[in-house]
């Protein structure tokens, strides 16, 4: 019945970028309240600012060095990820899938509570499609927006984190406690794959970013 469909709960989603920020999540899922989110720890993934934000690209300039990077997660047995976990119904997945259109889902990921270490139900996270699959799924958009970038699909190892986006994620991470925020700094990397966010930002800039009002950025996303 329709009621049964509404009650069907899908896999636990692991939000590791802008979804760390409850206000940003509510832009897509207005009924999802902060109390439904749980900080967790995920082994085996590296978080990278290597996703090109198409809306931020200066198409007259070379991609390398542009501050247009959003977060992606890739399998890496030497790293770990600190996301927030939350459950969704089938209906709630639709707007989230639209938001994360360039990502595919990796399921059955073991997770534990970030602060207690307690094992939890398996989770699912979004990872960016390889170029070939992205082109196959979105041929028109690929031809128009992605192909002309001259990169390997929609990722690049040469870009820097998008400025307002970085602040949004940083504030989201620290909203779950100082330990969680510090973990985000130590376990998030630039597009080069190795430079940590802590190395990229100095202490003063971290404090300044945590104090910024990014309401306008959120409203315009």
């Amino acid at each position: 019945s329709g009621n049964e469909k509404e009650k069907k709960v899908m896999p636990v989603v692991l939000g590791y970028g802008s979804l760390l920020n409850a206000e940003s999540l509510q832009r897509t899922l207005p009924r999802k309240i902060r109390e439904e989110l749980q900080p967790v720890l995920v082994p085996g993934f590296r978080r990278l600012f290597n996703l090109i934000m198409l809306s931020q690209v200066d198409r007259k300039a070379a991609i390398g060095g542009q501050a247009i990077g959003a977060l992606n997660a890739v399998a890496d047995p030497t790293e770990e990820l600190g996301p927030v976990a939350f459950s969704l119904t089938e209906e709630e997945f639709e707007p989230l899938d639209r938001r994360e259109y360039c990502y595919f889902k990796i399921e059955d990921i073991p997770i534990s509570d970030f602060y207690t270490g307690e094992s939890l139900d398996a989770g699912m996270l979004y990872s960016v499609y390889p170029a070939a699959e992205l082109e196959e799924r979105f041929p028109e958009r690929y031809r128009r927006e992605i192909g002309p970038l001259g990169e390997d699909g929609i990722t690049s190892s040469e870009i820097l984190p998008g400025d307002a986006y970085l602040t949004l994620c940083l504030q989201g991470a620290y909203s779950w406690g100082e330990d969680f925020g510090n973990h985000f700094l130590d376990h998030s990397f630039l597009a080069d794959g190795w430079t940590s966010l802590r190395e990229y930002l100095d202490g003063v800039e971290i404090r300044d970013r945590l104090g910024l009002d990014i309401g306008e950025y959120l409203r315009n996303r």
Side-chain angles (χ1 to χ4, degrees), residues 136-189:
E136 189 178 319
R137 285 175 172 269
F138 306 100
E140 191 55 37
R141 186 164 191 177
Y142 197 96
R143 183 186 63 76
R144 192 176 62 245
E145 295 184 62
I146 300 169
L149 297 174
E151 296 293 315
D152 183 22
I154 203 168
T155 61
S156 168
S157 61
E158 305 291 324
I159 56 178
L160 294 171
D163 193 54
Y165 174 87
L166 168 56
T167 299
L168 178 83
C169 296
L170 194 63
Q171 290 186 3
Y174 273 95
S175 75
W176 300 101
E178 191 166 355
D179 287 349
F180 193 84
N182 287 337
H183 187 276
F184 179 82
L185 285 175
D186 291 327
H187 295 274
S188 300
F189 298 88

Side-chain angles (χ1 to χ4, degrees), residues 78-136:
T78 70
E79 253 305 311
E80 63 184 28
L81 198 59
V84 288
F86 53 93
S87 297
L88 293 183
T89 63
E90 204 166 355
E91 286 74 19
E92 287 174 317
F93 251 107
E94 290 169 18
L96 191 60
D97 282 344
R98 282 196 300 275
R99 171 174 171 154
E100 314 290 8
Y101 82 96
C102 62
Y103 297 83
F104 66 97
K105 298 185 182 84
I106 303 176
E107 299 189 3
D108 298 322
I109 299 169
I111 62 176
S112 58
D113 183 283
F114 183 84
Y115 285 105
T116 68
E118 177 194 356
S119 290
L120 304 169
D121 291 340
M124 174 238 107
L125 59 73
Y126 289 93
S127 183
V128 175
Y129 279 118
E133 193 154 356
L134 203 57
E135 185 171 16
E136 189 178 319

Side-chain angles (χ1 to χ4, degrees), residues 14 16 40-47 72-73 79-83 114 125 183 187-188:
L14 304 172
Y16 56 83
V40 296
L41 195 61
V42 178
F45 287 89
R46 182 177 290 263
R47 180 165 38 196
N72 179 24
E79 253 305 311
E80 63 184 28
L81 198 59
F114 183 84
L125 59 73
H183 187 276
H187 295 274
S188 300

